[in-house]
């Protein structure tokens, strides 16, 4: 049994072997190893028991009488009870044993030197049993061997723990070593990559990267290849050379200034940026900017290692800016020329950024506002114009900043209460990406022109009213004279009479048109707006002009889509017939004329399209002005007054609409105008 116990170092196997072998040898009902804790408490750490008996393995047991027996067990004495009912033991111990069905028990202490570790216990449960001296002596060495095994197990466990701890330390040290090795390798890789990146960066920088000593020569210690493009010398010509140095290539007129700026930067330990001239190997002068980024010091040592001096080093890069300098000078020259031109123009010229701040104004601004140009630059538009004038110009400013060209006519009160009429144009400044950066403003003083137009209008109005009555009488008399059946006029006289009738008719039409235009522009015309069917308005206009069209072999086609507009039907009829009259007069025989109306958002777009001779591009912007003709002979040949389109424009503007024309010379033109929808009011 002891040999079996000694063959294992596993305490669980040792205890299992011990209880099994003891139970078999003693033919006991139960054999257990009880590990003593304190105060009668303990745990059954191994057990061999018959199937019919209660198992106690793993149980924490409490025997209140065990405290009284601890001392005898510590002395190595064995307790043998043949019959618990007759042994004279304490009742509490009897009660404790009976709960496990014990009739007789044999207890042998398990000692570790002078310490009581536990108990080896044998139980007889079926009946009392007289334990022999041999059985007691049999268990004593087994218990001793168990104590030795427990001690060895504890030593082994401590050794294993020490081995585990040492192994963990070695593994941790190994991991730390591996990590340090990896970090060193990574540092080496990073250093190589950094050097490669530095070399790549240096090679791709458009300037010459340098490191030099801060001495009277600016002796080069490192220099990239770009210096050859700037100065015409190779980098090797400069390195540790006190003949070919940075100072040697700086223009003589710039050397003193450059050295002073570098000295100031060194004293303050700050970066520097210096612009100067370089004289190359071919004696060509180039402008450069020297961008010094680092200033640091290091102590120099002699051959014995003694520190003898502190040296200052400069790091930076030299960039060739000759082309930029030339471009800058060209821009400055161009700006000076532009300033000279704009300052001598009588117009108001300005540039305003997208924050509505002046960035340029000409001298006329200074004269008009009494503020120096330098003070206006950077000033918000609102501050210069004031509340009233700004609110008048604000819609045009916002339109220009949205990317659309805008025009405006306003009255400006100058200092001294002088009122001037200004015709202004706002032109958006849009970059390549489509962003509106600001706008240009061109303002012309049209006060004198306005006064001339006013005097002309008064003259025309007076003359028209004075001419209308006599012209009507003359036309009536000539018409009557022409149509009388008793006329004795010769054929030549009749020809002259027809010319007189036609001329007087044209004069009457001219006077009527002038009066119509005068009434509209003076605000004397009152519109009677109502919901009108656009298709019906087109049909009525076409019917009114059909006879005139057929007389010239023309056909009028109308769109029959029914849409409702909000307008004065009589004045829109006048507009349509005026546009149709123009189309008929300038179309060739057999041509078509189209009338249409198209619904678009909250308005209706009317169109009158012909196949006539068209309008030149340079006339499109002025065709709606008074007395404007594509050809000066049209007033005679086409019997036009040059006022019809101006009347149409005024009528449409009174309706809150817009009128315009598109034309291709030789292919015809299309006049458009807009009116609000009937359901949008």
């Amino acid at each position: 049994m002891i040999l079996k116990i000694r063959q294992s170092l596993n305490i669980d196997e040792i205890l299992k072997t011990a209880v099994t072998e003891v139970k078999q040898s003693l033919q006991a009902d139960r054999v257990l190893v009880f590990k003593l804790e304190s105060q009668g408490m303990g745990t059954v750490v191994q057990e061999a028991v018959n199937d019919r008996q209660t198992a106690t393995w793993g149980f924490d047991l409490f025997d209140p009488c065990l405290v009284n027996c601890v001392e005898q067990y510590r002395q190595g004495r064995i307790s043998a009870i043949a019959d618990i009912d007759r042994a004279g033991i304490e009742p509490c111990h009897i009660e404790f044993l009976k709960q496990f069905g014990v009739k007789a028990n044999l207890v042998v202490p398990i000692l570790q030197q002078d310490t009581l570790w536990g108990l080896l216990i044998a139980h007889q449960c079926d009946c009392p049993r007289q334990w022999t001296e041999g059985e007691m002596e049999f268990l004593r060495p087994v218990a001793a061997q168990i104590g030795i095994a427990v001690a060895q197990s504890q030593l082994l466990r401590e050794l294993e723990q020490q081995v585990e701890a040492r192994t963990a330390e070695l593994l941790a040290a190994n991991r730390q070593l591996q990590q340090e090795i990896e970090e060193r390798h990574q540092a080496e890789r990073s250093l190589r990559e950094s050097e490669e990146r530095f070399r790549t960066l240096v090679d791709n920088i458009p300037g010459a990267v340098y490191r030099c000593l801060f001495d009277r020569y600016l002796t080069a210690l490192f220099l990239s290849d770009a210096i050859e493009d700037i100065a015409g010398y190779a980098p090797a010509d400069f390195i540790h050379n006190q003949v070919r140095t940075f100072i040697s290539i700086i223009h003589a007129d710039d050397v003193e200034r450059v050295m002073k700026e570098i000295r100031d930067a060194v004293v303050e330990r700050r970066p520097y940026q210096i612009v100067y001239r370089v004289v190359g190997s071919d004696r060509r002068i180039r402008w450069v900017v020297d961008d010094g980024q680092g200033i640091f010091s290091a102590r120099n040592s002699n051959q014995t290692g003694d520190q003898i001096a502190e040296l200052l080093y400069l790091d930076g890069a030299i960039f060739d800016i000759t082309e930029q300098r030339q471009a800058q000078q060209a821009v400055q020259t161009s700006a000076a020329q532009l300033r000279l031109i704009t300052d001598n123009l009588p117009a108001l010229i300005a540039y305003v950024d997208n924050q509505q701040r002046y960035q340029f104004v000409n001298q006329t601004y200074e004269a008009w506002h009494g503020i120096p140009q330098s003070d206006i630059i950077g000033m918000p538009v609102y501050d210069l114009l004031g509340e009233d004038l700004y609110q008048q110009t604000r819609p045009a400013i916002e339109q220009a900043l949205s990317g659309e060209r805008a025009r405006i006519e306003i009255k400006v009160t100058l200092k001294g209460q002088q009122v001037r009429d200004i015709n202004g144009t706002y032109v958006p400044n849009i970059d390549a990406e489509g962003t509106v950066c600001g706008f240009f403003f061109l303002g012309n003083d049209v006060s004198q022109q306005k006064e001339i137009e006013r005097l002309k209008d008064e003259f025309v109005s007076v003359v028209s009213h004075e001419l209308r009555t006599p012209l009507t009488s003359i036309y009536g008399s000539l018409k009557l004279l022409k149509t009388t059946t008793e006329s004795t006029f010769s054929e030549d006289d009749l020809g002259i009479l027809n010319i007189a009738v036609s001329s007087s008719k044209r004069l009457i039409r001219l006077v009527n048109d002038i009066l119509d235009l005068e009434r509209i522009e003076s605000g004397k015309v009152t519109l009677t707006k109502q919901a009108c069917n656009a298709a019906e308005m087109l049909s009525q206009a076409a019917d009114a002009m059909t006879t005139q069209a057929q007389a010239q072999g023309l056909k009028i086609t109308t769109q029959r889509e029914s849409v409702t507009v909000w307008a004065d039907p009589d004045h829109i009829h006048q507009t349509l017939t005026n546009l149709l009259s123009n189309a008929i007069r300038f179309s060739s025989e057999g041509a078509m004329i189209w009338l249409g109306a198209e619904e678009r958002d909250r308005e209706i777009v009317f169109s009158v399209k012909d196949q006539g001779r068209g309008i030149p591009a340079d006339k499109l912007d002025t065709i709606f002005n008074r007395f404007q003709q594509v050809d000066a002979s049209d007033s005679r040949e086409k019997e036009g007054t040059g006022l019809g389109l101006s009347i149409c424009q005024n009528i449409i503007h009174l309706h809150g609409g817009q009128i315009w024309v598109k034309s291709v010379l030789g292919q015809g033109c299309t006049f458009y105008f807009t009116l609000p929808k009937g359901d949008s009011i």
Side-chain angles (χ1 to χ4, degrees), residues 480-488:
L480 180 63
L481 186 61
K482 176 184 175 182
T483 56
T484 182
T485 55
E486 298 178 357
S487 176
T488 59

Side-chain angles (χ1 to χ4, degrees), residues 530-542:
Q530 61 190 48
C532 305
N533 188 294
E536 293 179 0
M537 297 175 72
L538 295 176
S539 297
Q540 291 171 4

Side-chain angles (χ1 to χ4, degrees), residues 460-478:
V460 169
S461 177
V462 171
V463 171
S464 299
H465 282 86
E466 294 296 328
L467 289 177
R468 188 175 189 181
T469 301
L471 279 175
T472 303
S473 299
I474 293 171
Y475 176 72
S477 300
L478 291 173

Side-chain angles (χ1 to χ4, degrees), residues 260-275:
K260 180 181 183 305
E261 293 190 27
I262 292 178
R263 277 194 297 271
D264 292 344
V266 168
V267 170
E268 299 173 12
R269 288 294 196 273
R270 59 171 172 78
Y272 55 85
Q273 193 174 76
I274 311 170
V275 176

